[in-house]
Amino acid sequence: MTATTQEVPANPIDLLPDVVDPPSLEETPAQKTLLNTVFRSMKRSHDMFYHHYEDYPEFPDIDEHYREAKLKTEYKSLVAAVAETKRRKEEEQVNLPKNVPVIAIGGMTSESGAPLAITGPSESENDSAAAASSSQKSSNSRAVAQVPSSSKTGPQDNTVRALLPSRAPMVVKPKWHAPWKLYRVLSGHTGWVRSVDVEPGNEWLVSGGADRIIKIWDLAKGTLRLSLTGHISAVRAVKVSPRHPFIFSAGEDKQVKCWDLETNKVVRHYHGHLSAVQDLDIHPTMDLLVTCARDSTARLWDMRTKAQIHCLTGHTNTVASVRCQATDPQVITSSHDSTIRLWDIVAGRSVVTLTNHKKAVRALSLHPTLRMFASGSPDNIKQWKCPDGEFYQNLSGHNAVINSLTCNQDGVLVSGADNGTMQFWDWNSGFCFDRQTTKVQPGSIDSEAGIYSMCFDRSGSRLITAEADKTIKMYKEDDTATEESHPVMWRPNVLRKKMY
């Protein structure tokens, strides 16, 4: 008995889609069941492992099907990724500050061929948008580039968006300030004028000099009202109390005195410093007095009982300047050891030491409204943010020994140097908009052109300087100046890095 068998095709794949029952064979039922099971197993294996068949060229149909499916999957993934990236960039552009004036990015052009310029908003924007953007600007220390929006979203626009950084380094455009001019000179001291201050009522000013005399001047007329004698050496610091009828003075005779303006006499002495006292300041809300001296210490005094509360030690050289404020850090000192220290007046210890300066720091100035302060040194003028002393930016260009700094409510920071030069800075942008050199009195030599102390009056419209030619000079803004007659000569460098 001979069995007839069915021919098997050369390509086994031709059998797979139509396999339901095994081919008709003249065999036993057991053999038919086995053959049926084998073919069903082949079908399941094909469905599970068909994507591995690309390595086998003998199955061209399966290989082409796999490649087509793979391309479709990759294309869908790519489209989804591009859509997600575009959505994120659009959200970033919506949240960017809109009132920060910034400049164009060189080398990049729009579809029309014009350079991509990034500017602030128009004046017609609503107040709510301006308030939101200003609050965001105060929280950020740098301006952010904004990509110009366009109704067309073609390939070229997408390319430009991809090239532009999301947070490009930008320079804030400076605010225009009128130049300052000299309008009055007060003569009367017979020695260097080392310090000056204005009383809270803005009616008179007080000065102290190397002739050991404290003089009180009428602010409006410039006439001498009173002279106080009592120090036996040069008076290095004078300060009018904003809440008491007192004047505090300190000098190279190691003495700190409290003068009663009702009797014009000394009512308190504060003993403790071991060397010449360089500077003093009064706490704005508490009855505390802070002095610093050449003995490398700053001392905190109770104004009423004359008791020393703390001796703030940590500096390794002369403490040249001290400033007090109502919020932390309540006491800030600078020293000839090139450091600035922020103090905790409750514990009596230093909480932060700033070592960014490379030379002696002789001057400090607090901003009247912002929680910031500036420090002056021959290497740079630096701005810091409270309460942690975070570095903000450098003001470079005043290459001299800076003896004093002062700032008014309009954001005008003035630095006075030992060679008689003054520079006027815009606080926010760090741009120097005016430079002046003091004119010494007739008969003075060039070395007597130094500026030792400066302050603004209570309105911020008058600048008063104490100088080495034995005079007090008063400056005011030029009323005839306009933005057209005195334009801002601003040449920014986009990639400028404000280093430590």
Side-chain angles (χ1 to χ4, degrees):
M1 176 178 176
T2 60
T4 60
T5 60
Q6 187 177 359
E7 293 184 359
V8 179
N11 191 356
I13 198 65
D14 295 336
L15 295 176
L16 297 180
D18 300 327
V19 173
V20 178
D21 294 321
S24 177
L25 297 176
E26 296 180 3
E27 296 291 344
T28 61
Q31 291 177 339
K32 292 180 180 181
T33 302
L34 178 61
L35 189 59
N36 190 14
T37 303
V38 169
F39 274 92
R40 289 186 181 278
S41 178
M42 290 175 60
K43 175 64 176 176
R44 295 192 186 99
S45 300
H46 164 263
D47 294 339
M48 184 177 298
F49 301 107
Y50 75 97
H51 55 277
H52 292 292
Y53 291 169
E54 66 171 330
D55 299 329
Y56 300 95
E58 59 269 19
F59 301 115
D61 297 336
I62 296 179
D63 182 54
E64 185 66 24
H65 175 65
Y66 166 72
R67 290 182 180 178
E68 182 178 355
K70 182 178 180 181
L71 288 177
K72 289 182 180 181
T73 304
E74 292 178 352
Y75 178 76
K76 290 181 180 180
S77 301
L78 182 61
V79 170
V82 171
E84 179 66 18
T85 303
K86 184 177 180 181
R87 183 187 63 80
R88 287 201 305 267
K89 285 184 175 295
E90 290 177 353
E91 290 180 355
E92 290 176 0
Q93 301 309 319
V94 171
N95 296 329
L96 287 175
K98 300 180 180 179
N99 67 336
V100 181
V102 292
I103 64 171
I105 301 178
M108 294 190 181
T109 59
S110 63
E111 296 180 2
S112 61
L116 287 176
I118 302 168
T119 58
S122 62
E123 296 180 356
S124 61
E125 288 186 348
N126 55 33
D127 297 337
S128 61
S133 59
S134 62
S135 62
Q136 185 168 1
K137 176 185 175 183
S138 63
S139 62
N140 297 330
S141 60
R142 293 293 181 273
V144 182
Q146 180 177 0
V147 179
S149 59
S150 175
S151 59
K152 296 188 294 183
T153 57
Q156 185 175 358
D157 183 61
N158 293 335
T159 303
V160 172
R161 287 178 179 271
L163 290 176
L164 287 176
S166 59
R167 301 182 69 88
M170 287 295 175
V171 181
V172 179
K173 184 178 180 180
K175 177 184 175 183
W176 182 84
H177 299 280
W180 292 69
K181 63 179 182 179
L182 175 69
Y183 78 97
R184 179 175 293 161
V185 179
L186 306 181
S187 300
H189 281 282
T190 58
W192 294 350
V193 186
R194 301 305 301 254
S195 59
V196 66
D197 193 29
V198 179
E199 64 98 13
N202 212 35
E203 295 181 357
W204 48 268
L205 62 96
V206 58
S207 62
D211 55 2
R212 303 167 293 177
I213 301 176
I214 300 171
K215 292 182 178 290
I216 297 177
W217 310 80
D218 188 285
L219 186 60
K221 300 177 181 179
T223 57
L224 180 63
R225 284 190 176 185
L226 184 66
S227 294
L228 303 176
T229 59
H231 282 278
I232 60 175
S233 188
V235 180
R236 294 296 296 266
V238 291
K239 189 70 68 173
V240 183
S241 174
R243 298 181 296 112
H244 311 89
F246 296 149
I247 293 178
F248 294 88
S249 63
E252 295 179 358
D253 52 6
K254 312 175 190 176
Q255 297 183 18
V256 181
K257 298 177 182 289
C258 175
W259 303 78
D260 188 346
L261 293 177
E262 296 178 354
T263 61
N264 299 329
K265 294 181 180 180
V266 179
V267 293
R268 294 185 184 90
H269 289 86
Y270 302 89
H271 297 286
H273 279 293
L274 306 177
S275 187
V277 184
Q278 301 289 309
D279 196 11
L280 64 86
D281 201 8
I282 302 170
H283 197 283
T285 58
M286 295 186 288
D287 294 336
L288 298 177
L289 176 69
V290 185
T291 59
C292 60
R294 290 182 59 188
D295 56 9
S296 305
T297 65
R299 297 176 189 264
L300 191 64
W301 310 89
D302 187 328
M303 190 183 297
R304 298 161 297 180
T305 65
K306 303 178 291 185
Q308 177 179 299
I309 300 174
H310 289 300
C311 179
L312 307 178
T313 60
H315 287 290
T316 58
N317 206 330
T318 301
V319 184
S321 183
V322 61
R323 291 292 178 267
C324 294
Q325 60 182 359
T327 57
D328 290 333
Q330 299 186 47
V331 175
I332 305 171
T333 59
S334 65
S335 172
H336 289 186
D337 61 5
S338 306
T339 64
I340 302 168
R341 287 181 179 263
L342 282 54
W343 300 88
D344 181 356
I345 62 173
V346 177
R349 62 183 182 87
S350 172
V351 293
V352 177
T353 302
L354 308 176
T355 60
N356 303 71
H357 283 287
K358 300 300 181 290
K359 296 183 180 180
V361 186
R362 297 171 180 261
L364 291 174
S365 177
L366 300 174
H367 194 281
T369 56
L370 302 178
R371 295 194 61 193
M372 298 179 66
F373 67 95
S375 58
S377 176
D379 55 1
N380 273 309
I381 299 172
K382 298 181 184 293
Q383 292 177 340
W384 315 86
K385 294 190 290 186
C386 297
D388 300 324
E390 180 185 353
F391 175 78
Y392 182 67
Q393 68 177 349
N394 271 334
L395 310 182
S396 302
H398 202 173
N399 300 319
V401 178
I402 297 175
N403 290 323
S404 60
L405 290 172
T406 186
C407 183
N408 67 1
Q409 293 86 347
D410 293 333
V412 177
L413 177 68
V414 188
S415 56
D418 209 42
N419 59 0
T421 59
M422 289 190 301
Q423 294 196 7
F424 297 79
W425 311 81
D426 178 61
W427 182 279
N428 291 330
S429 63
F431 172 71
C432 179
F433 65 89
D434 193 12
R435 292 179 174 86
Q436 295 189 20
T437 302
T438 184
K439 298 178 181 179
V440 298
Q441 284 291 91
S444 302
I445 59 178
D446 293 338
S447 61
E448 292 181 336
I451 300 174
Y452 290 123
S453 179
M454 294 189 303
C455 72
F456 283 99
D457 69 349
R458 299 301 173 178
S459 66
S461 60
R462 299 292 185 271
L463 175 65
I464 305 166
T465 63
E467 305 190 6
D469 62 351
K470 310 178 182 66
T471 64
I472 301 167
K473 294 185 173 65
M474 303 177 69
Y475 296 81
K476 66 178 181 180
E477 289 184 338
D478 189 355
D479 298 333
T480 62
T482 62
E483 294 190 35
E484 290 75 18
S485 62
H486 294 77
V488 178
M489 304 303 293
W490 184 51
R491 297 293 182 269
N493 183 1
V494 178
L495 299 179
R496 181 182 62 168
K497 294 183 179 180
K498 300 177 181 181
M499 305 299 293
Y500 281 61

